[in-house]
Amino acid sequence: MTRVFSGIQPTGDLHLGNLLGAVRWWVEDQRQGETFYCVVDLHALTEPGDPAELRPATLTMATWLLAAGLDPDGCTLFLQSQVPAHTQLTWLLECTASMGELRRMTQFKDKAARHGEESARVGLFTYPVLMAADILLYDADQVPVGDDQRQHLELTRELARRFNARYGPTFVVPEAAIRPPGRGNRIMDLQEPNDKMSKSSVSPQGTIYLLDDPVTIERKVKRAVTDPDDGPDAVRYDPVTKPGVSNLLEILASVQGRRPQDVAGDYTRYGPLKADLAAAVISLVEPIQAAYLKWTQDPGAVSSVLRAGAERADQVARVTLARASDAVGLVLPS
Ligand code: TRP
């Protein structure tokens, strides 16, 4: 049976980009194979943040994942920090990775450049190795990720291959499962359509949160930037020259399970496209909001899902860690 692993950062509230680009597929994959989903709380420590916010943000993210349809009986949902093998395997993989290849990670370069590399945390530098450990511990065949994680996945594959070559067959070499365009992996900011929709967006109007009420969703969609109206075929899918309208088409297509080019054929003007998009998003999020409210009324239930998830994940991860420790020549506890 296919093993699937994926992780999401504990950013607190889920937004539409998370849902359409990742979480919706996680829900679907539950039926296809054995799935492990992790809120990667240790990753949150790679950049400055308030400890008082991390705990609620982590639990809120886990609650949204359940509300969006992760089924505690159909997948293993857990918090990264509750399974010690993640940091333990990271060490073995840090002794497999090279400085040079980590230095080439574009996400590190981008993030470190913001405040200067000199003060960047070492954890920001080694984070892709922790991500590799996340994946390799579960012998995952498939890793659904967004396009921005492609390089980290390539590194994971390389580390697995190198470790296997050096110490003998130990890890499964995973495949990145990156969805084709039109499947929600390019959901952009409504105000800055050249940037991915994200929590750290400059304008709060550019991100639709799953907790937004219908009036807010309508307003955000209505105010989404569009490209100059250049006549009768103004509504067309062309992410390079028309990033604004292409993003709206991408979102609607993704909600409807169609191709953005086909959706474009239904419209000539921006107004009706925006009206239909708002309505489609509202009906998509309403049941998830209702489920979210239900889960929040029972925080004990969320904790018990996470406890069972960590136990199950630990059982699997422990075996892989022992295999890797043995391979490098460590003496296993007798
Ligand atoms: N780095 C991923 C992100 O920023 C999150 C992540 C951590 C992840 N570990 C993972 C994704 C393992 C897939 C598999 O989105």
Side-chain angles (χ1 to χ4, degrees):
M1 186 155 37
T2 310
R3 271 278 176 89
V4 177
F5 182 96
S6 199
I8 192 164
Q9 304 228 17
T11 46
D13 288 321
L14 204 68
H15 59 66
L16 193 63
N18 300 136
L19 180 70
L20 295 178
V23 177
R24 220 168 47 139
W25 303 108
W26 293 10
V27 173
E28 198 165 292
D29 284 341
Q30 289 179 125
R31 279 182 250 117
Q32 323 286 336
E34 196 180 355
T35 47
F36 290 82
Y37 298 126
C38 180
V39 180
V40 292
D41 50 356
L42 295 173
H43 279 183
L45 304 177
T46 60
E47 291 184 282
D50 182 350
E53 284 172 17
L54 181 55
R55 222 177 333 261
T58 303
L59 294 171
T60 299
M61 181 53 82
T63 308
W64 276 116
L65 296 177
L66 291 166
L70 289 192
D71 170 6
D73 297 321
C75 73
T76 301
L77 174 64
F78 67 104
L79 306 182
Q80 186 185 34
S81 65
Q82 295 187 350
V83 180
H86 289 244
T87 46
Q88 293 171 303
L89 183 62
T90 297
W91 180 254
L92 302 190
L93 295 176
E94 278 175 3
C95 296
T96 305
S98 72
M99 292 291 290
E101 67 194 343
L102 289 190
R103 239 188 245 123
R104 284 193 289 278
M105 295 292 117
T106 54
Q107 200 167 75
F108 170 73
K109 286 195 265 189
D110 292 347
K111 287 190 175 180
R114 277 189 226 152
H115 304 285
E117 192 185 293
E118 202 53 28
S119 61
R121 298 181 181 194
V122 174
L124 184 66
F125 184 65
T126 58
Y127 151 103
V129 184
L130 175 59
M131 176 164 164
D134 295 341
I135 296 166
L136 298 181
L137 278 173
Y138 298 92
D139 293 333
D141 313 286
Q142 294 283 329
V143 185
V145 281
D147 206 36
D148 60 331
Q149 297 298 314
R150 199 185 280 273
Q151 198 186 25
H152 292 156
L153 243 292
E154 209 27 72
L155 175 77
T156 303
R157 290 164 54 79
E158 176 56 27
L159 295 180
R161 285 191 293 252
R162 189 178 308 154
F163 193 102
N164 289 346
R166 203 176 274 172
Y167 303 111
T170 307
F171 296 123
V172 171
V173 181
E175 299 276 346
I178 296 175
R179 315 273 168 188
R183 292 305 194 82
N185 58 359
R186 273 184 61 88
I187 304 296
M188 311 306 266
D189 188 293
L190 298 178
Q191 293 297 319
E192 301 285 342
N194 289 309
D195 299 336
K196 264 186 95 166
M197 184 178 285
S198 99
K199 200 192 169 187
S200 44
S201 161
V202 198
S203 162
Q205 298 305 317
T207 304
I208 295 178
Y209 288 98
L210 263 67
L211 208 51
D212 285 345
D213 58 47
V215 176
T216 308
I217 294 176
E218 251 164 34
R219 197 184 55 232
K220 288 180 178 175
V221 171
K222 209 173 274 172
R223 294 194 187 155
V225 300
T226 36
D227 318 281
D229 186 339
D230 47 8
D233 67 341
V235 179
R236 59 177 192 274
Y237 185 69
D238 181 352
V240 177
T241 62
K242 296 185 73 91
V245 72
S246 297
N247 186 35
L248 301 181
L249 291 167
E250 173 89 34
I251 299 173
L252 187 53
S254 158
V255 175
Q256 296 178 338
R258 299 168 64 199
R259 292 182 344 125
Q261 294 85 340
D262 297 341
V263 175
D266 293 354
Y267 299 94
T268 48
R269 292 172 28 244
Y270 295 150
L273 168 64
K274 287 182 167 180
D276 285 359
L277 176 58
V281 171
I282 291 166
S283 34
L284 177 73
V285 304
E286 262 172 357
I288 302 176
Q289 286 180 351
Y292 177 77
L293 292 179
K294 248 199 203 142
W295 279 103
T296 53
Q297 279 153 17
D298 193 358
V302 176
S303 305
S304 83
V305 168
L306 294 175
R307 196 178 319 115
E311 260 171 44
R312 163 97 188 98
D314 187 72
Q315 279 170 9
V316 176
R318 196 185 264 287
V319 174
T320 316
L321 176 68
R323 201 163 67 223
S325 303
D326 187 49
V328 300
L330 300 177
V331 178
L332 300 184
S334 52

